[in-house]
């Protein structure tokens, strides 16, 4: 025996009821505060609606367009040597054993 459980038990997919948490909503980490929030939500004393998006839609679309074409435009301006150096730097960052 002495086998590692991670090796014996295969990874399973999440069930629909076990979806990923919504990171945009800030919930208290303290169990007492979280319990109070749950009770307040259940009794209707607290509102659980997400805040409205107050960003300018035109600015959001402009930023998205710039993000979609930015990498291609940057690569087109670089020499092959610069592209190679950037790719090596990115690969080194991905494979670095220690995190910052």
């Amino acid at each position: 025996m002495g086998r590692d459980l991670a090796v014996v038990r295969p990874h399973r997919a999440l069930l629909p009821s076990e979806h990923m948490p919504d990171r945009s909503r800030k919930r208290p980490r303290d169990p007492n505060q979280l319990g109070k929030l749950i009770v307040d939500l259940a009794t209707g004393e607290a509102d659980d609606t997400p805040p409205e998006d107050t960003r300018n839609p035109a600015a959001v679309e402009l930023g998205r367009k710039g993000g979609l074409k930015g990498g291609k435009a940057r690569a087109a301006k670089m020499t092959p040597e610069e592209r190679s150096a950037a790719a090596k730097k990115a690969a080194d960052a991905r494979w670095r054993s220690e995190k910052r």
Side-chain angles (χ1 to χ4, degrees):
M1 326 321 236
R3 296 167 78 184
D4 188 15
L5 289 179
V7 175
V8 176
R9 293 175 50 196
H11 177 73
R12 65 178 180 83
L14 292 176
L15 297 174
S17 61
E18 300 174 328
H19 60 81
M20 295 296 292
D22 185 4
R23 300 278 184 217
S24 64
R25 295 184 184 177
K26 299 295 181 186
R27 302 280 179 151
R29 293 181 60 123
D30 178 52
N32 295 319
Q33 292 176 355
L34 181 59
K36 182 179 181 331
L37 176 66
I38 291 171
V39 169
D40 288 346
L41 291 173
T43 59
E45 293 181 23
D47 190 21
D48 195 29
T49 58
E52 290 186 30
D53 190 8
T54 58
R55 299 179 294 174
N56 182 344
V60 170
E61 187 60 30
L62 251 177
R64 176 172 156 65
K65 285 182 181 178
L68 290 176
K69 66 181 179 181
K72 292 178 185 176
R74 178 174 178 246
K77 291 180 183 178
M78 297 171 91
T79 65
E81 292 82 16
E82 290 172 330
R83 281 197 305 272
S84 177
K88 286 179 184 175
K89 182 179 177 184
D92 288 342
R94 282 193 302 271
W95 287 95
R96 189 177 311 137
S97 62
E98 61 186 53
K99 299 292 178 186
R100 293 181 198 186

